[in-house]
Amino acid sequence: MMSDLQNSPAVFAEECHAIILAGGSGTRLWPLSRNLLPKQLLVLGGDRTLLQQTVARVLEAFTSDKIWIVTNEEHAFEVRKQVSQIDHELESRVVAEPVSRNTLPAIMLGLDKVVGPNTQALAAVFPSDHLISNSLEWKQALEEASALAAKRRFVTFGVEPDHPETGYGYIALGESLGDNAFAVDGFVEKPDLNTAKSFVRDGNHLWNSGMFLFRVKDFLKQVARCQPRLWDWWLARERKPLIESYGQLSDISVDYGVVEKIDNIVAVKAGFQWDDLGSWEAMYRLGEKDEDGNVIQGDVLAMDCKNSLLISEGGKLAAVGVEDMIMVQTRDATLSCPMPHVQRVRDVVQALKSQGSQLVESHPTVVRPWGSYSVLEEGPHYKIKRIQVNSGARLSSQMHHHRSEHWVVVDGTAEVEVNNEPRILVENQSIDIPKAAQHRLANPGKVPLNIIEIQSGPYLEEDDIVRFEDVYGRVKK
């Protein structure tokens, strides 16, 4: 089997489809990850994002026409860009949720693309934000799981724990079914430390990897039994697209909604190395350490520091005499946390949300399908941005109810339209955009366009945009 797997780039091309879940809220690796840039879209090691690593791995076992990537609307453009860099055909295989509704509705949205005349089709579900090595063993586990799923078993993948981890869910194993397969006795969600230690000792518990493989027809039957309201929504797909009523669905995970309610579950013990990079402690554990046990990235000055994770992506981070600490600095936020309290980063994010802080939503630099913008400074009734527009890109035709804008071209050529009057601006030229004026910005040149935008008005948030026309399909109906 091993040689067959090694020689086949698409082990499951005919009978199995892959659904990659690329949503996420960007809470556990804050402040590096944010709602608009969750961890799967970040480069956290090597030269590819976690999403790109996942896509490249899945392409070793599936052809591109059997792969679907489900994300949410806010991330769709960045996801399409990243997956197209791995395989350009995958750009058209991205499905966007209008709102985030957790893993079960997202899987159903992907299955809508899979279901067809082949009622025996299998589907594998993969999170996009996990780190996996030993791809040959990963493909072997898929081969074993597909054989079980063809016999109408719902298969999950478990990883043998090598340390007590309180941030992961666990699978309780039952009787052996031969080879690496076991009946599942139950699931334990994020145990306390003493319980996690006992799980490592007893050998009867595996980390829950969040990957599944099942026969589509059998899975849908379980959805009908366990989640009748979701099933009604699914049946309505024959009359209208699922996405039209997607926002009315409950926020529910596939584990809670289906997996924990069925009894024909099998766990395949994985032989590959796995980590979901669910905390800064995991980033430290997997990182390359210096002679003092520190993992250091970016512009960091460390003096007499030991066993710490020190990351800077904005300015100099100077740390003196710290031990067993996590210190992560971006341009607009800094996290300082003792290693044993790493799971409380979620509490930090929740506290910031309750304060209405934009630090949860985005970085100072925000990527858009046409380029990016960076907030340089802001205060009461004003905001200053640096806007970069890619060559040939075009922003939407839009207006603002509450702000006026002043644009200064730093370099490049700007094609500007204000109230249907076009103009060309070059370096050091400027233009005023009055409040409520319909306007548009484009870059007709061969090099990036950079402008400085000064906003003024009583309300300056991004939701004060009325779009009239947009090449990226962002006009609200």
Side-chain angles (χ1 to χ4, degrees), residues 36 71 75 84 87-88 100 125 133 153 166 173 188 213 268 283 297 318 340 360 380 382 420 434 443 466:
L36 292 181
T71 186
H75 303 148
S84 67
D87 185 328
H88 66 89
S100 179
V125 176
S133 55
R153 304 302 290 265
T166 60
L173 299 181
V188 181
L213 201 152
V268 169
M283 290 291 295
Q297 298 177 16
V360 176
Y382 80 94
N420 297 317
N443 177 5
V466 179

Side-chain angles (χ1 to χ4, degrees), residues 19-24 38-42 44 48-58 68-71 75 79 82-83 103 125-132 209-211 274-277:
I19 298 173
I20 299 173
L21 301 179
K39 66 175 179 176
Q40 66 267 21
L41 302 180
L42 298 174
L44 297 175
R48 286 177 170 176
T49 67
L50 291 176
L51 170 63
Q52 290 175 321
Q53 291 180 49
T54 301
V55 167
R57 181 170 59 252
V58 171
W68 292 96
I69 302 105
V70 183
T71 186
H75 303 148
V79 167
Q82 290 195 13
V83 301
T103 53
V125 176
F126 305 111
S128 62
D129 55 357
H130 293 178
L131 192 65
I132 292 176
S209 72
M211 296 186 292
W274 170 92
D275 202 297
D276 83 340
L277 295 180

